[in-house]
Amino acid sequence: MATIRDVSKIAGVSVATVSRTLSMPDKVSQKTREKVQNAIDKTNYRPNILARNFRTRKASTIVVLVPDIANPFFSRVIRGIEQTAQKLGYAVLLGDTQGLREREYTYANMVKTSQADGIIQLDCHVPFGADEEEDIFPIVNVCDCIRNTAMPTIQLDNVAAAMEMTEHIISLKHKNIGIIHGPKESTITMDRIKGFEIALKNADIDIDRSLVVEGDYSIKSGSQAAYNLLKNPSPPSAMLCFNDEMAIGAIHQVKSMGFSVPHDISVSGFDDINFAEFCDPPLTTISQPAEDFGSKAMLMLYDVINEIEVKNKNMFLPFKLKIRNSTAPLKKDE
Amino acid sequence: MATIRDVSKIAGVSVATVSRTLSMPDKVSQKTREKVQNAIDKTNYRPNILARNFRTRKASTIVVLVPDIANPFFSRVIRGIEQTAQKLGYAVLLGDTQGLREREYTYANMVKTSQADGIIQLDCHVPFGADEEEDIFPIVNVCDCIRNTAMPTIQLDNVAAAMEMTEHIISLKHKNIGIIHGPKESTITMDRIKGFEIALKNADIDIDRSLVVEGDYSIKSGSQAAYNLLKNPSPPSAMLCFNDEMAIGAIHQVKSMGFSVPHDISVSGFDDINFAEFCDPPLTTISQPAEDFGSKAMLMLYDVINEIEVKNKNMFLPFKLKIRNSTAPLKKDE
DNA sequence: CCTAAAAATGTAAACAATTACATTTTGATT
DNA sequence: AATCAAAATGTAATTGTTTACATTTTTAGG
């Protein structure tokens, strides 16, 4: 493999000039640039990126920390990250943490050791290992964001989204509304529950706490939660699920217990994943701009890494209520 | 940040000894090791990985080339890759190519410039840019594998799987069987069609070529293909789809045209993604060990990178026919 | 044509590890 | 105690770039 020295000899210039031709061509005269380019072509020279990274202490690599890459919503966010990263000249290291803090630690370390320039965190906490050092740790928090954090955040207005969904359900005359939410510690969960409560309060409906149950965003947990709800002494006529997978699980359970969706029970989701539209019945849900989350996060991380001032440190992206056929007016006889 | 030199001074040994303490501790005496460890603790030293990578010309990083990370089957494979990579001390660079050869080129280049040590290719062709250089390019090809390639491959016996699925359909007395396959150029498609043909031939059933239609693995394409099949002069009583998404699209279409699945028309999938079990009706499909594909691929790539002889260069992983309720015996009156 | 400023180019020192080779220390055997 | 091989340690070169600083060349205005 040819080195910058070989090129400089053939071109009859110094290594500095070759380096400049590559990284700041406007500082090099037209004539010299051509000589260098010829030498590069002749030698088939490619800069040794490892040497460059070492010298500049930058890896042009970011890591994305995701609780589970097999989640279809997350994988869309990651797709958005990857596309924008590539445009900006960054490579994306995948950090599937499976919720393990030790894994996060490994990845946070990569930033400390300059193997990566920054982190995009999709989970609702400071990555383990990134908290120790108080100095600027280049990171942005997307989707499920910590409250009152120094990290820049990009998220949905989950309070408003859950409110809108709840209002839709209320407009269908439902009063006994169940919730299948995600992990309690997460901001997403808390915000959406808050939105739900506000909507109920506005409509003067009392909240039945026994109809608020927890899932883990998996289909199975949605199914299990729906089972529990239906076994409740006063089962809900509508179930608000905090993602589409749990809604799909819930629909499956409701049906297999002999009820009809939406005739007997309305079910709604969150995220609008690809499958939502093709469920039976098609799922009423909140659509989120998943790829935009990723893309915007990468853009923001770029600014953080390069110490460009971030204008909007707490960004909110728009959602859209998609009314399909999994929600319907309350049956008269109830 | 402390360097190896700082540590060596504090420990009162040479840099070589510090380096050895880290990478080959058994070459260092007990006493010295302790001194060095103390110095490391005192200085909070972490080796500069960028310098190490540069010097050793290894990045301890691999790239995975995937046509679309939002595909749930692929994301499971990637999860398997990531888990095993982490165990082996490798980081995983995500290369979502979106089918663009230029993107592949970028990533192949990373291997050429030692930014990555190898590639796992999930698509059915030699990555653009990896073909030029004839010398050993560390790569393994998983899932959709090229025929007669020098690359090590890990795949399903797709002929056998499609045969088994077809035999299942035939055992239900179907004779008019439609196929919704993937891109024609891919080995997966060709193999599965072959398996289908063999099963039909064994059962003395003639193939109706007009019932073999192409999709692109998306839900929408499955839906569209099913529409076309049903508009056929002699529509099929069963549809064999080459992935679960297309099957889900097909089921949706069949139902919305007023037919029942499986009563009027049987539909089967491939992959056994999470949603398959929770469809309505639950999907008969071929389950594949997605995570194993990833894990095995990483293990194999490790051998290739480290020039350990690979025993089984063309590995096949087992599948399992999952019979659920989307396939049923042919109606009597047909 | 002269001169000063600006532009272009060159020199050589980093960067922080690994490792080939040289040297010293250790320990077993006589 | 002497010898020698093996083990442990040290010295210093090496890796390929970038870049601060020094030097040379070009340009423009008088």
Side-chain angles (χ1 to χ4, degrees), chain B residues 14 16-17 20 29 32 54-55 57:
Chain B
S14 72
T17 302
R20 277 187 287 253
S29 77
T32 314
F54 166 51
R55 181 55 227 257
R57 302 163 165 285

Side-chain angles (χ1 to χ4, degrees), chain A residues 30-223:
Chain A
Q30 166 82 33
K31 209 164 40 169
T32 315
R33 252 180 314 185
E34 277 165 15
K35 278 193 295 184
V36 171
Q37 192 53 57
N38 283 339
I40 287 177
D41 292 345
K42 198 176 295 173
T43 54
N44 195 21
Y45 166 73
R46 291 178 182 286
N48 180 326
I49 310 290
L50 257 27
R52 174 183 294 170
N53 289 350
F54 166 52
R55 182 54 226 255
T56 60
R57 300 165 167 286
K58 294 199 169 182
S60 289
T61 295
I62 62 119
V63 354
V64 21
L65 245 33
V66 57
D68 181 16
I69 202 212
N71 175 307
F73 179 73
F74 286 147
S75 54
R76 282 181 58 203
V77 176
I78 293 175
R79 189 163 62 180
I81 292 174
E82 212 261 1
Q83 271 164 26
T84 304
Q86 196 153 93
K87 278 184 202 138
L88 296 173
Y90 282 81
V92 176
L93 274 179
L94 183 65
D96 186 320
T97 64
Q98 295 291 321
L100 300 175
R101 288 175 92 52
E102 145 204 16
R103 293 249 177 108
E104 283 186 358
Y105 192 77
T106 308
Y107 286 107
N109 242 335
M110 295 182 104
V111 175
K112 287 190 192 163
T113 58
S114 314
Q115 281 181 91
D117 303 326
I119 290 185
I120 295 178
Q121 163 72 303
L122 298 189
D123 210 344
C124 186
H125 60 267
V126 179
F128 192 57
D131 40 0
E132 300 167 359
E133 323 230 348
E134 273 307 312
D135 53 332
I136 36 111
F137 199 98
I139 184 165
V140 345
N141 193 193
V142 210
C143 297
D144 203 351
C145 299
I146 307 173
R147 273 275 160 282
N148 305 318
T149 174
M151 295 191 273
T153 60
I154 307 179
Q155 56 195 313
L156 214 68
D157 184 343
N158 282 291
V159 180
M163 245 180 90
E164 195 167 325
M165 179 61 88
T166 310
E167 283 161 358
H168 161 66
I169 302 285
I170 291 174
S171 77
L172 297 171
K173 307 296 178 205
H174 293 275
K175 294 203 155 46
N176 241 8
I177 307 173
I179 291 278
I180 302 179
H181 59 74
K184 271 196 289 287
E185 317 75 44
S186 100
T187 305
I188 279 192
T189 301
M190 294 187 293
D191 281 359
R192 291 184 187 168
I193 289 181
K194 191 187 291 171
F196 170 71
E197 290 171 343
I198 294 173
L200 284 196
K201 191 160 188 190
N202 289 348
D204 267 327
I205 301 174
D206 286 337
I207 296 174
D208 182 348
R209 291 283 160 195
S210 70
L211 295 184
V212 177
V213 301
E214 181 168 352
D216 64 5
Y217 291 136
S218 71
I219 305 182
K220 283 222 163 66
S221 79
S223 167

Side-chain angles (χ1 to χ4, degrees), chain B residues 192-216:
Chain B
R192 292 183 187 169
I193 289 181
K194 192 186 292 172
F196 170 72
E197 290 171 343
I198 295 173
L200 284 196
K201 192 160 188 189
N202 289 348
D204 267 326
I205 301 174
D206 285 336
I207 295 174
D208 182 349
R209 290 284 160 196
S210 70
L211 295 184
V212 177
V213 301
E214 182 167 352
D216 64 6

Side-chain angles (χ1 to χ4, degrees), chain B residues 119-140:
Chain B
I119 290 185
I120 294 178
Q121 164 71 303
L122 299 189
D123 209 346
C124 186
H125 60 268
V126 179
F128 192 58
D131 40 1
E132 301 166 357
E133 323 230 347
E134 274 307 314
D135 52 332
I136 36 109
F137 198 97
I139 185 167
V140 344

Side-chain angles (χ1 to χ4, degrees), chain B residues 4 9 33 41 67 69 83 97 106 108 120 122 126 141 164 186 206 213 225 227 237-238 248 260 306-307 323:
Chain B
I4 200 170
K9 261 179 213 146
R33 252 181 314 186
D41 292 345
I69 200 211
Q83 272 165 26
T97 64
T106 308
I120 294 178
L122 299 189
V126 179
N141 192 193
E164 194 166 324
S186 100
D206 285 336
V213 301
Y227 178 86
S237 64
I248 287 168
S260 145
N306 297 289
E307 292 176 335
I323 299 177

